[in-house]
Amino acid sequence: MGVVNLTDDSFSGDGCGDDIQAAIAHGLRLVAEGADILDIGAESTRPGSSAVAPEQELGRVLPVLEGLMDCGVPLSVDTTKPVVMSAALQAGADMINDVGALCLPGALEVVATSHAAVCMMHMQGEPETMQDAPAYHDVVGEVTDFLAARVRAAAAAGIPSGRIVIDPGFGFGKTLAHNLKLLHHLDELRRAGAPLLVGLSRKSMLGRLTGRSAGDRVHASVVAALLAAQRGARILRVHDVAATRDTLAVLNAVEEA
Ligand code: HH2
């Protein structure tokens, strides 16, 4: 899954702001590099970021969605707002990626009445304050239990299990130690009952480990992607698609040998 950020302040440094043509060109480049899904988002979830009005989010997402409609891969929209989900689905989005795990009122229903896939992600707190003091007794157990409960809630709302993926939410209300423990024990999260999507690409935990800035974390990102894939991740949300594809080509060849 290649990331198309329509934000002014993405931590990863690749946000296209409101430059719709640049975002479409970026998406096409990621498809040419081998992305199987594009994830289009117009609200930064970086620690400390504040919410974007739905009109601004839709004003950026919809033209990019339209511009990428024939790019040949499914299009996901990264949003927490039911009103944005609904408009994106009407415009032809194939998937909703919700870092809020469809917790806002109406979100489950909007997805249930569509044919779209959904990713539900774990986050402790809200982006504005989530890194202030993340705390868990047992991070792997608590994240797994939360995701299992969201899978049950989605099923109860009428979303078929084949349309659901889940995500532990690296960096979303987690310390470096929490993130490392989750990655080490990622295979245990499969107990939550849905395929795993993982976003580690360029994240600050990799900066902490390497001392490198966001734009210079490609090597750390592909290693993290490899470790996640080896531990059962089925979808990798990445900024550096070509490098990740090369990594997976080597991994898959070794696994098949
Ligand atoms: N991470 C980000 C945004 N959306 N969605 C899922 N499912 N999993 C993630 O780990 C995830 C996500 C943050 O990355 P990015 O979009 O590059 O940055 P920003 O939110 O600052 O625009």
Side-chain angles (χ1 to χ4, degrees), residues 78-126:
D78 186 346
T79 187
T80 56
K81 300 185 188 77
V83 61
V84 175
M85 294 175 190
S86 179
L89 291 168
Q90 272 177 35
D94 303 286
M95 178 172 183
I96 297 297
N97 172 26
D98 183 1
V99 300
L102 301 184
C103 286
L104 284 185
L108 281 168
E109 292 73 15
V110 167
V111 174
T113 50
S114 75
H115 296 289
V118 65
C119 176
M120 295 186 291
M121 195 198 80
H122 175 274
M123 166 165 49
Q124 188 179 81
E126 303 290 326

Side-chain angles (χ1 to χ4, degrees), residues 18-211:
D18 59 2
D19 189 340
I20 303 300
Q21 291 314 318
I24 293 170
H26 185 66
L28 293 174
R29 196 159 48 241
L30 296 182
V31 173
E33 288 183 18
D36 292 321
I37 308 172
L38 292 179
D39 188 39
I40 304 163
E43 178 171 67
S44 177
T45 47
R46 155 179 83 84
S49 63
S50 39
V52 170
E55 300 73 35
Q56 182 184 335
E57 213 180 317
L58 280 171
R60 294 185 180 189
V61 167
L62 292 181
V64 175
L65 197 56
E66 194 184 332
L68 289 170
M69 199 53 73
D70 296 324
C71 73
V73 303
L75 300 176
S76 161
V77 171
D78 186 346
T79 187
T80 56
K81 300 185 188 77
V83 61
V84 175
M85 294 175 190
S86 179
L89 291 168
Q90 272 177 35
D94 303 286
M95 178 172 183
I96 297 297
N97 172 26
D98 183 1
V99 300
L102 301 184
C103 286
L104 284 185
L108 281 168
E109 292 73 15
V110 167
V111 174
T113 50
S114 75
H115 296 289
V118 65
C119 176
M120 295 186 291
M121 195 198 80
H122 175 274
M123 166 165 49
Q124 188 179 81
E126 303 290 326
E128 217 157 353
T129 51
M130 67 189 176
Q131 289 307 108
D132 290 354
Y136 301 84
H137 294 295
D138 163 16
V139 67
V140 177
E142 286 168 50
V143 170
T144 307
D145 289 349
F146 170 84
L147 292 172
R150 294 314 296 160
V151 170
R152 285 195 298 274
I159 304 174
S161 61
R163 282 166 41 195
I164 301 171
V165 296
I166 52 174
D167 181 342
F170 286 99
F172 285 84
K174 283 135 192 137
T175 64
L176 176 60
H178 295 141
N179 288 321
L180 292 174
K181 192 154 232 170
L182 277 170
L183 181 51
H184 188 92
H185 294 281
L186 195 66
D187 51 350
E188 293 176 31
L189 269 74
R190 284 187 274 182
R191 182 165 65 75
L196 286 171
L197 184 155
V198 162
L200 286 154
S201 180
R202 299 190 189 177
K203 287 211 166 150
S204 68
M205 62 180 277
L206 305 178
R208 291 273 304 281
L209 295 173
T210 61

